[in-house]
Amino acid sequence: MSEYKYRPLDFETKWQGVWESNRADSAVEDSTKPKKYVLEMFPYPSGDIHMGHVRNYTIGDVVARQARMKGYSVLHPIGWDAFGLPAENAAIKSSSHPATWTHANIETQAASFKRMGFSYDWDRTVKSCDVDYYRWGQWTFLEFWKRGLVERKSSPVNWCPSCTTVLANEQVLSDGVCWRCKSAVIKRELEQWYYRITEYAQELLDDLDKLPGWPDRVKTMQANWIGRSEGAEVVFELCDADGEPCGETITVFTTRPDTLFGCTFFLLAPEHPRVREFVAGTQHEATVMSVVDRAARETAVERQQGDREKSGAFTGRFVINPVNGEKVPVWVSDYVLMEYGTGAVMAVPSGDQRDFEFARKYGLEIPPVVLAEDDPLFAELSGVSERVRTEVPWEAAFAGDGVMVQSGEFTGLSTGKGGEGVRAVTEWLVARGKGQAAINFRLRDWLISRQRYWGNPIPAIHCPACGVVPVPAEELPVVLPMNVDVTAGETLADHPEFYQTTCPSCSGPARRETDTMDTFTCSSWYYLRYCDARDEAAIWERDKADYWMPVDQYIGGIEHAILHLLYSRFFTKVFRDMGLVGFDEPFTNLLTQGMVKKDGEIMSKSKGNVVAPEGVIEQYGADTLRAYILFMAPPDKDLEWSYEGVEGMYRWLGRVWRFVCDAVDEAREHGDAPPGTEAPGKALHREMHRVIGKVTFDIERFQFNTAIAGLMELTNAAYEYRNVVAPGMRDTALQRAVAVRLVSLLAPFTPHMAEELWCEVLAETGSVHGAPWPTFDPAAAAADEVELAVQVNGKVRGRVVVPADASTQDVQEAALVAVAEWIKDAEVRKVVVVPGKIVSVVIAG
RNA sequence: GGCGGCGUAUCCGAAAGGCACAGGAGGCGGACUUAAAAUCCGCUGGCCGAAAGGCUUGUGGGUUCGAAUCCCACCGCCGCCACCA
């Protein structure tokens, strides 16, 4: 038997050096080839790489390497998302500078990526903290400003006391905590910078339909986040302090204008600007302001608890219900959100559960206005247009579809999605100037300013005379100064030499903006910069973006389903409108990979269950780790780490290694030995072609685990052949053919081993990574004969072996013979022949 | 509460409506070896039944000649959103 031993550590770094010096993985714009842009989400340089990185980047590398072998011109870049708070925290801890920590981590990670054999075009690397990169982020900000997409406004914002900065809505998790540090977020009224992503809300929602290559759950999450609601804006006239209509109006948004006749009170959010004015100096001031103050004190965590009791207070004011002229009391309650709609709500307690609970608590009327036909009240109120009933016997509000009652001229109309009620009431309001059809989005504008040092400076200047003015484009970049000492708690606002400047408009003394941009602005366009990463004159050249974009395959974690992917889609649409790109969506296909776990939990330092990739590479080599992490689970599922699994992978690669070495040896020794026995050779040849087809197909659909299983099957078939056919009798040409195909198919998964076997053992020409992908010959993979199961009334009762090309008629006859004893003299009602699979016989009885 | 996903052997997992479990791990055994490691070769789901055979993809229905797969309901787990008017 073979003495050959698989020693990956002997050659892996050798090939990494060769590939790097050959620039083997450089991307070239070649108009004669189809292109493929394979991208993995660029890492944050938070330290050494972890298994999540290994998995993410191995998946991308397999796709990129296979695409090259299939003749594509491939762009497969890497870079670093290098601004951000962890660098500041680490700098404080180690008494250094964020840049020092960041660059050291980038070095470490880059070395690890090279050691994994990832086939990146290192000449296109970007680091978002490099001025050559972030200057274009500033340029983008100015361009967005020109287009009216930058806004500076004061509003209640999310403030993380621990990170001492504001957060975008998307960065507050559903339990009201900071996405990064998990501290409770509080609301603060602050003037901040916004990108007006809401301008694109409708298109961001609609274009999800243009993304068949995205997982449904990501699209659903985005659609939920954008949160489109159709309804109407309804104008209520305000009454003055004496209760008389005063001509002023307050508008609400509602999805249920058809329930307007059931509106018995009106609600304002505690933050609503009119609240203070309504109650100032009145008997209601104390109770109302206690509600307002309490809401202001509460964190998002407390206020968002769904099961908490609603509280509120009457303001003493009234509004006029436009459909029936009734005077409706105005209350303040903490369950009304200032951020959504208009911050004012028409309350219909019979049709909305929250309003129902509020009405019960404060003894407000609950007249039914929509009834299901099986409701006990239906007989009494059907067709009744005047309000005769002001209470319901229900335990909860009825929000379902039904028929309108006690609703004046609209009584009798059907409600709900397909009903006439909504449209009829809306049209009535429009005709009288008291409302209009409206659409509301849950999506808020993107708050991009951060009160932190380690980020991209916002290129704006505050002038006492001219107001806020943009930094002129020719004065870019606004360079982030390096002399800021974060260990002393400094930010840009502590450095007059940075912020003292002159106004570009009036030349008077002015103050430079000291906020930096959210790091998500940096990651919203990096994939475009890779197309032309070294361009100093422009963010990129249009023809280069046209060649490479959109990204054909994007791979990353599900945690970016909303944040990064939504922001990038927004940027792309703006770039399109600027004429910088010619497409609507940046990422054609998206793969969200699962997490790597240990003992059922996410690997983390605090849990002490981290398996460091470096240790595994030192022991088994990078190829083993790559193949292992692809084999253990489908890429989108979570993966449970297992050292036994790594061992098993290492054993199999050794098995492949020995087969290839032995095949070459035997060809040398018995070069012209005639094939001895024919059947085993035929079987192996057929298996080889079957596996070529399987692996090709499986990589296409990202089933790397089954692709590798297929390669194991081919390996097993090769060993089976050698087990059955004696040395000297073996078809050495066939063995070599199998070895060559096996090595080619392995190349994307285990690039070093494949290269070593290709160049040193098989002595083929060139690099295996430049060799063509093996062609699949369906005819060669097809068997001469097939065995079919024969079912009688759904149960397998026999088997027939028939020629692969047998006619349906012949198969049917053979099948009926095979199960004759199960049929006996029963009537055969039906026979279904599924070629190559099964014969199904249906008999009577 | 809303939306989405998942549930297959001891474990990780295959199965594009067609014989349920490919591949790996683990376990058992054999060959080689003084021995071990390494390697190579076998065997390896459960329940009922004497056997033939039957039952078994979370549970219960349905569609179909045929369902792990499609539909409905329920149970369990996971994820996202959530006082969004």
Side-chain angles (χ1 to χ4, degrees):
Chain A
M1 249 303 132
S2 171
E3 295 301 314
Y4 293 109
K5 189 155 166 46
Y6 171 51
R7 297 180 197 279
L9 302 184
D10 290 355
F11 56 79
E12 287 192 348
T13 50
K14 172 184 80 179
W15 289 116
Q16 286 154 14
V18 171
W19 298 331
E20 192 170 354
S21 59
N22 288 349
R23 291 273 193 278
D25 303 311
S26 291
V28 180
E29 292 88 0
D30 180 345
S31 58
T32 66
K33 283 182 175 180
K35 68 92 185 179
K36 189 163 268 191
Y37 187 172
V38 181
L39 181 66
E40 300 103 58
M41 291 179 185
F42 68 165
Y44 186 81
S46 52
D48 297 349
I49 65 164
H50 52 67
M51 285 300 173
H53 291 124
V54 169
R55 194 175 191 194
N56 193 170
Y57 302 137
T58 300
I59 291 168
D61 200 48
V62 170
V63 175
R65 285 184 181 278
Q66 196 220 17
R68 289 193 196 96
M69 292 177 76
K70 288 176 96 172
Y72 287 92
S73 184
V74 171
L75 173 56
H76 186 220
I78 188 73
W80 280 270
D81 186 14
F83 274 137
L85 201 48
E88 288 192 42
N89 293 337
I92 291 165
K93 227 179 190 172
S94 62
S95 300
S96 64
H97 192 279
T100 313
W101 182 83
T102 302
H103 284 113
N105 285 339
I106 289 175
E107 288 303 306
T108 309
Q109 292 194 349
S112 293
F113 292 160
K114 287 178 182 175
R115 188 61 193 82
M116 282 300 295
F118 297 144
S119 59
Y120 296 125
D121 182 344
W122 290 97
D123 295 329
R124 291 177 187 253
T125 297
V126 300
K127 299 167 193 166
S128 65
C129 64
D130 282 353
V131 67
D132 290 340
Y133 182 84
Y134 71 69
R135 63 180 301 161
W136 296 111
Q138 295 174 1
W139 179 82
T140 301
F141 178 90
L142 298 179
E143 291 293 316
F144 278 33
W145 197 338
K146 280 186 207 161
R147 306 186 68 81
L149 295 171
V150 171
E151 192 174 14
R152 192 169 159 78
K153 63 184 176 190
S154 177
S155 59
V157 298
N158 304 300
W159 174 267
C160 175
S162 164
C163 299
T164 64
T165 185
V166 298
L167 299 171
N169 255 24
E170 289 80 1
Q171 291 165 339
V172 181
L173 305 184
S174 58
D175 47 357
V177 300
C178 171
W179 69 295
R180 196 190 287 285
C181 72
K182 309 286 186 282
S183 313
V185 170
I186 58 174
K187 287 279 176 188
R188 271 196 173 184
E189 182 79 19
L190 288 171
E191 193 168 14
Q192 296 291 319
W193 293 95
Y194 291 83
Y195 274 163
R196 299 184 60 197
I197 190 172
T198 53
E199 288 288 302
Y200 287 81
Q202 187 67 56
E203 200 193 341
L204 287 165
L205 182 66
D206 291 344
D207 284 1
L208 290 172
D209 292 338
K210 292 183 183 169
L211 298 171
W214 280 38
D216 284 342
R217 72 180 173 138
V218 174
K219 288 190 280 189
T220 309
M221 281 161 70
Q222 292 214 353
N224 287 345
W225 186 261
I226 296 167
R228 183 183 198 270
S229 294
E230 278 184 42
E233 281 180 359
V234 182
V235 179
F236 284 69
E237 188 177 2
L238 184 65
C239 296
D240 61 22
D242 301 324
E244 296 305 319
C246 68
E248 273 190 81
T249 61
I250 300 188
T251 301
V252 299
F253 172 75
T254 178
T255 54
R256 294 295 304 274
D258 52 327
T259 63
L260 204 37
F261 284 83
C263 171
T264 50
F265 54 102
F266 192 93
L267 292 162
L268 296 177
E271 301 86 357
H272 197 281
R274 303 299 300 269
V275 170
R276 245 165 239 276
E277 156 203 344
F278 286 178
V279 299
T282 73
Q283 53 172 321
H284 304 288
E285 183 167 17
T287 52
V288 166
M289 289 316 289
S290 80
V291 172
V292 171
D293 291 342
R294 193 180 134 202
R297 269 199 319 276
E298 279 182 327
T299 64
V301 181
E302 291 161 338
R303 187 155 171 194
Q304 282 177 6
Q305 258 151 27
D307 52 350
R308 63 174 243 164
E309 195 173 313
K310 300 171 193 354
S311 62
F314 177 47
T315 62
R317 292 292 193 110
F318 293 85
V319 290
I320 306 293
N321 185 336
V323 289
N324 56 14
E326 273 184 32
K327 252 193 218 179
V328 177
V330 177
W331 289 60
V332 168
S333 177
D334 52 4
Y335 77 88
V336 179
L337 307 172
M338 192 60 218
E339 306 90 65
Y340 186 76
T342 62
V345 173
M346 61 174 238
V348 181
S350 63
D352 182 284
Q353 185 58 25
R354 296 155 299 176
D355 300 345
F356 183 88
E357 288 166 21
F358 193 84
R360 277 281 155 89
K361 178 170 177 182
Y362 292 104
L364 297 156
E365 290 183 347
I366 308 179
V369 286
V370 174
L371 292 177
E373 290 188 22
D374 59 357
D375 192 286
L377 287 176
F378 188 76
E380 176 193 333
L381 293 175
S382 175
V384 176
S385 59
E386 294 302 306
R387 185 181 296 170
V388 297
R389 229 183 197 283
T390 57
E391 278 307 314
V392 290
W394 307 334
E395 291 304 309
F398 174 67
D401 295 353
V403 177
M404 292 172 72
V405 299
Q406 306 196 120
S407 297
E409 64 183 271
F410 304 100
T411 300
L413 295 183
S414 62
T415 65
K417 266 221 142 58
E420 317 144 272
V422 170
R423 199 166 35 92
V425 174
T426 307
E427 280 170 7
W428 187 95
L429 290 167
V430 171
R432 284 154 189 80
K434 290 180 173 176
Q436 57 182 10
I439 289 158
N440 227 294
F441 291 96
R442 212 191 71 102
L443 182 70
R444 302 268 65 87
D445 278 331
W446 175 11
L447 196 169
I448 58 156
S449 44
R450 296 290 178 274
Q451 292 69 50
R452 305 298 314 187
Y453 160 67
W454 190 236
N456 190 2
I458 292 175
I461 290 168
H462 302 264
C463 171
C466 310
V468 183
V469 292
V471 171
E474 58 275 16
E475 285 179 23
L476 295 185
V478 176
V479 177
L480 184 71
M482 284 296 122
N483 63 347
V484 175
D485 184 3
V486 294
T487 64
E490 289 182 4
T491 68
L492 291 176
D494 298 304
H495 283 256
E497 81 283 1
F498 173 77
Y499 65 70
Q500 281 175 358
T501 185
T502 52
C503 174
S505 174
C506 70
S507 300
R511 184 185 166 98
R512 193 179 288 288
E513 172 65 60
T514 54
D515 281 358
T516 53
M517 282 186 241
D518 182 4
T519 53
F520 280 93
T521 62
C522 303
S523 56
S524 293
W525 57 281
Y526 76 105
Y527 48 90
L528 281 154
R529 181 66 179 173
Y530 284 140
C531 298
D532 193 11
R534 299 279 88 86
D535 198 325
E536 292 179 7
I539 189 166
W540 59 76
E541 274 176 32
R542 169 76 191 250
D543 60 344
K544 290 190 174 151
D546 282 348
Y547 180 80
W548 291 114
M549 289 292 294
V551 173
D552 295 280
Q553 185 62 51
Y554 199 27
I555 305 147
I558 187 72
E559 67 273 19
H560 293 107
I562 295 171
L563 288 161
H564 163 63
L565 291 170
L566 188 67
Y567 294 148
S568 295
R569 295 181 60 222
F570 163 57
F571 264 56
T572 296
K573 289 174 192 306
V574 180
F575 289 142
R576 176 205 58 201
D577 292 345
M578 290 164 64
L580 286 172
V581 300
F583 46 88
D584 298 321
E585 288 289 337
F587 312 125
T588 306
N589 295 293
L590 173 69
L591 176 67
T592 51
Q593 101 262 8
M595 285 180 295
V596 182
K597 296 185 166 183
K598 178 110 193 299
D599 310 319
E601 301 199 60
I602 300 164
M603 287 187 185
S604 74
K605 281 178 193 158
S606 59
K607 294 203 179 81
N609 61 351
V610 173
V611 179
E614 286 79 5
V616 179
I617 297 171
E618 276 166 34
Q619 196 175 350
Y620 299 98
D623 283 343
T624 302
L625 178 56
R626 292 169 58 113
Y628 162 77
I629 211 144
L630 294 171
F631 179 64
M632 282 305 276
D636 56 329
K637 298 272 169 57
D638 287 352
L639 180 155
E640 174 66 28
W641 181 266
S642 139
Y643 279 104
E644 289 83 6
V646 178
E647 276 289 345
M649 183 52 63
Y650 188 68
R651 276 203 290 269
W652 171 60
L653 293 180
R655 213 164 135 82
V656 172
W657 182 269
R658 288 185 298 275
F659 165 69
V660 175
C661 292
D662 288 343
V664 169
D665 266 5
E666 282 180 18
R668 193 182 303 129
E669 283 168 33
H670 322 277
D672 297 324
T677 40
E678 219 167 301
K682 265 183 103 168
L684 177 57
H685 185 259
R686 190 159 53 230
E687 179 68 357
M688 178 178 86
H689 277 281
R690 186 189 69 85
V691 168
I692 291 171
K694 177 176 175 55
V695 173
T696 306
F697 176 57
D698 283 352
I699 293 178
E700 261 165 40
R701 57 178 188 153
F702 305 112
Q703 297 241 346
F704 307 112
N705 53 334
T706 55
I708 291 172
L711 292 170
M712 288 171 170
E713 288 168 48
L714 179 55
T715 313
N716 292 345
Y719 274 76
E720 165 77 15
Y721 175 78
R722 295 171 59 73
N723 198 35
V724 171
V725 183
M729 301 295 284
R730 294 171 187 154
D731 183 340
T732 54
L734 172 64
Q735 289 198 130
R736 185 180 173 88
V738 170
V740 168
R741 300 306 191 291
L742 192 52
V743 167
S744 299
L745 296 173
L746 269 166
F749 302 101
T750 57
H752 313 88
M753 180 177 115
E755 190 79 313
E756 179 77 7
L757 287 172
W758 185 266
C759 298
E760 305 296 335
V761 179
L762 291 164
E764 292 280 333
T765 50
S767 162
V768 68
H769 303 292
W773 187 251
T775 42
F776 171 52
D777 178 358
D784 304 337
E785 292 187 322
V786 287
E787 190 186 65
L788 302 183
V790 184
Q791 289 185 339
V792 178
N793 285 358
K795 298 210 184 308
V796 177
R797 296 302 189 190
R799 290 167 187 288
V800 281
V801 177
V802 296
D805 56 358
S807 70
T808 301
Q809 187 62 37
D810 291 347
V811 172
Q812 179 165 332
E813 276 166 22
L816 289 174
V817 171
V819 294
E821 62 169 310
W822 292 91
I823 300 174
K824 297 206 172 104
D825 48 3
E827 179 201 347
V828 175
R829 290 193 169 158
K830 191 172 181 182
V831 180
V832 180
V833 178
V834 184
K837 298 254 167 87
I838 207 164
V839 180
S840 185
V841 180
V842 187
I843 62 171

